[in-house]
């Protein structure tokens, strides 16, 4: 095989690259670097590098070391600016050039994307340890709380009505904390889903009925279903929990006079790419739509993270649980919110044909 000419490789390189001479002047700059730095090769060739680029690192020193040691150096997380644009965080590589030891090659990789992906992982593991910690605390705090409530109840027996109000307050507040702690514990105890083919409408019906006799008692919950929707493969109880959590949030946002719409439909266009690179269609769509004021802008980007709540008494675990369950069902959840219309959409895979003999009827 014939290798392409070095010039072709240079101009096809998808990473911004600059060749620097022994005087730290720009000898060559590839098209990616022209684009990234927003300067033309013509205008920059022969110019001192440091007059054209603001790099927040002792590059002269680094170049000198690369030249003397004849080895490549890496510098991570450096701000690179051109004077006209806000600096961008980059990773740099500086390599000596074999044939011309006084020259160095400078490669610039913008960190933006890598940084963002890294951050998502980081958030996930931070959330995990926050949950682990909260679980441990929950367990430790519940026991003494039972003691406190018990002692307050004993105290109440010997008190007049006025003071009894205070002991009742203690009992009520401890109960509230216990409830909250139980929610935290439940989050940690989620078992893996037991998947069977499920008709999603059975799940929606159950959740709707339960909401209408409970937290959504005076609300209207409309049904807008595509009855021909085939079954998904899932854990009916966990999916019910998902729908209940979404209904609860919708009810809390829209208030007693609000309206919630449950909608199902088939849409083959959505596919997800898994970590291993394979793709899967998620054609079953379930939407929970409310006419409340919408998700507060300051938390909108983080609502699926644990402990993020816009409500005074919220634990912020509802949607974290929802997203955990949906991801264990190989599904996807998204949200679209403007004042007056908030839509949470869950997309789920089809139950494989061979599994249908175990169809669960609930
Ligand atoms: N349908 C909705 N409309 C407006 N805001 C919403 C809606 N659903 C969720 N939110 C916002 O997202 C936040 C996070 O929701 P999440 O269910 O995770 O926690 P929570 O409801 O605050 O507490 P918990 O569910 O644990 O009792 C809510 O506090 C609320 O501010
Ligand atoms: Mg909630």
């Amino acid at each position: 095989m014939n290798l392409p000419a070095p010039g072709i490789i240079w101009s096809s390189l998808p990473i911004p690259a600059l060749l620097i001479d022994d005087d730290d002047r720009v000898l060559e700059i590839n098209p990616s670097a022209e684009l990234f730095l927003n300067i033309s090769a013509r205008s920059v060739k022969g110019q001192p590098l440091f007059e054209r680029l603001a790099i927040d690192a002792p590059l002269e020193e680094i170049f000198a070391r690369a030249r003397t040691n004849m080895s490549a150096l890496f510098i991570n997380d450096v701000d690179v600016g051109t004077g006209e644009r806000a600096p961008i965080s980059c990773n740099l590589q500086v390599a000596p050039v074999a044939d011309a030891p006084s020259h160095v090659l400078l490669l610039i990789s913008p960190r933006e994307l890598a940084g963002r992906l890294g951050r998502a992982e980081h958030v996930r593991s931070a959330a995990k340890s926050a949950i682990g910690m909260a679980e441990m605390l929950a367990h430790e705090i519940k026991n003494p709380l039972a003691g406190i409530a018990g002692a307050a109840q004993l105290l109440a027996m010997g008190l007049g009505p006025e003071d009894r109000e205070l002991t009742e307050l203690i009992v009520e507040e401890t109960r509230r904390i216990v409830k909250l702690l139980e929610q935290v514990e439940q989050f940690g105890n989620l078992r893996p889903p037991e998947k069977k083919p499920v008709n999603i409408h059975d799940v929606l019906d159950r959740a709707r009925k339960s909401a209408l006799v409970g937290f959504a008692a005076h609300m209207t919950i409309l049904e807008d279903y595509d009855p021909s929707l085939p079954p998904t493969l899932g854990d009916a109880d966990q999916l019910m929990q998902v729908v209940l959590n979404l209904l609860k949030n919708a009810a809390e946002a829209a208030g007693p006079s609000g309206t919630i719409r449950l909608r199902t439909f088939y849409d083959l266009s959505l596919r997800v790419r898994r970590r291993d690179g394979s793709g899967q269609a998620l054609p079953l769509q379930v939407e929970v739509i409310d006419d409340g004021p919408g998700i507060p802008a300051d938390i909108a980007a983080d609502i699926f993270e644990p402990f993020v709540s816009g409500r005074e008494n919220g634990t912020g675990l509802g949607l974290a649980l929802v997203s955990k369950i949906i991801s264990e069902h190989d599904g996807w959840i998204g949200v679209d919110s403007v004042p007056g219309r908030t839509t949470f959409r869950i997309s789920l895979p089809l139950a494989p044909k061979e599994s249908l003999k175990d169809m669960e009827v609930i």
Side-chain angles (χ1 to χ4, degrees):
M1 187 187 90
N2 288 333
L3 280 177
I8 294 183
I9 297 179
W10 177 252
S11 54
S12 337
L13 208 61
I15 300 170
L18 296 101
L19 188 63
I20 314 293
D21 72 6
D22 49 351
D23 214 11
D24 293 344
R25 287 171 191 273
V26 179
L27 267 183
E28 286 291 344
I29 151 170
N30 76 344
S32 293
E34 283 184 282
L35 210 67
F36 174 66
L37 300 169
N38 197 17
I39 41 185
S40 73
R42 212 156 20 97
S43 74
V44 78
K45 272 190 200 174
Q47 300 271 331
L49 175 72
F50 302 115
E51 274 179 24
R52 303 305 302 257
L53 271 193
I55 298 181
D56 178 24
L59 267 200
E60 280 137 315
E61 220 174 278
I62 291 161
F63 287 171
R65 262 173 56 200
R67 286 180 186 118
T68 358
N69 301 344
M70 283 308 281
S71 63
L73 294 167
F74 296 79
I75 313 110
N76 284 343
D77 236 345
V78 176
D79 283 342
V80 177
T82 56
E84 284 144 44
R85 188 189 51 194
I88 293 181
S89 173
C90 298
N91 292 342
L92 305 183
Q93 293 184 45
V94 176
V97 180
D99 272 359
S102 56
H103 294 173
V104 288
L105 193 59
L106 171 64
L107 300 182
I108 306 176
S109 329
R111 274 178 54 90
E112 282 289 278
L113 193 60
R116 226 178 290 145
L117 291 178
R119 207 147 53 225
E121 274 305 316
H122 176 73
V123 167
R124 212 163 295 150
S125 62
K128 234 183 175 169
S129 52
I131 291 164
M133 168 101 168
E135 264 181 85
M136 192 195 72
L137 275 177
H139 190 77
E140 291 302 318
I141 297 173
K142 257 171 62 184
N143 287 335
L145 274 181
I148 294 173
Q153 275 164 335
L154 283 178
L155 259 181
M157 289 183 199
L159 295 175
E162 242 171 65
D163 291 332
R164 211 173 291 159
E165 236 175 67
L166 293 177
T167 54
E168 270 162 23
L169 186 79
I170 297 177
V171 174
E172 252 168 56
E173 288 298 282
T174 32
R175 282 220 181 102
R176 196 171 64 83
I177 302 172
V178 168
K179 232 168 95 190
L180 192 153
L181 296 176
E182 274 165 0
Q183 248 168 304
V184 173
E185 282 184 323
Q186 183 199 8
F187 188 88
N189 287 339
L190 188 69
R191 55 178 168 75
E194 284 170 29
K195 293 187 195 171
K196 287 185 186 156
V198 186
N199 180 344
I200 200 74
H201 296 125
D202 292 339
V203 173
L204 292 174
D205 274 343
R206 258 213 295 166
R208 179 173 175 273
K209 284 195 183 120
S210 155
L212 282 174
V213 296
F215 55 82
H218 301 290
M219 298 187 69
T220 313
I221 305 183
L222 304 173
E223 295 161 295
D224 179 1
Y225 298 157
D226 171 357
S228 69
L229 217 59
T232 185
L233 193 65
D235 185 315
D237 288 337
Q238 291 192 358
L239 291 175
M240 159 107 171
Q241 210 174 354
V242 164
V243 179
L244 269 180
N245 277 347
L246 294 179
L247 282 174
K248 194 146 170 283
N249 283 347
E252 278 155 359
S257 60
T259 303
I260 302 174
R261 200 151 67 94
L262 291 170
R263 178 172 175 237
T264 63
F265 57 103
Y266 196 83
D267 179 359
L268 249 182
S269 62
L270 189 73
R271 296 183 71 81
V272 285
R273 186 173 286 281
R274 309 197 168 294
R275 236 173 256 217
D276 64 7
S278 65
Q280 184 177 25
L282 302 178
L284 308 178
Q285 317 297 330
V286 179
E287 288 185 345
V288 179
I289 308 159
D290 72 71
D291 59 358
I295 296 171
D298 56 334
I299 58 165
D302 300 315
I303 49 168
F304 292 106
E305 298 297 334
F307 308 119
V308 171
S309 174
R311 296 189 299 114
E312 202 159 307
N313 283 323
T315 55
L317 284 175
L319 287 177
L321 189 70
V322 164
S323 103
K324 189 167 166 189
I325 293 176
I326 294 300
S327 91
E328 284 180 1
H329 279 78
D330 301 325
W332 182 86
I333 180 158
V335 59
D336 183 27
S337 179
V338 289
R341 189 185 167 95
T342 297
T343 307
F344 279 85
R345 186 203 281 201
I346 299 168
S347 307
L348 292 165
L350 288 177
K353 277 210 181 67
E354 65 275 11
S355 69
L356 292 183
K357 58 183 184 341
D358 304 321
M359 181 81 188
E360 182 165 26
V361 182
I362 49 174

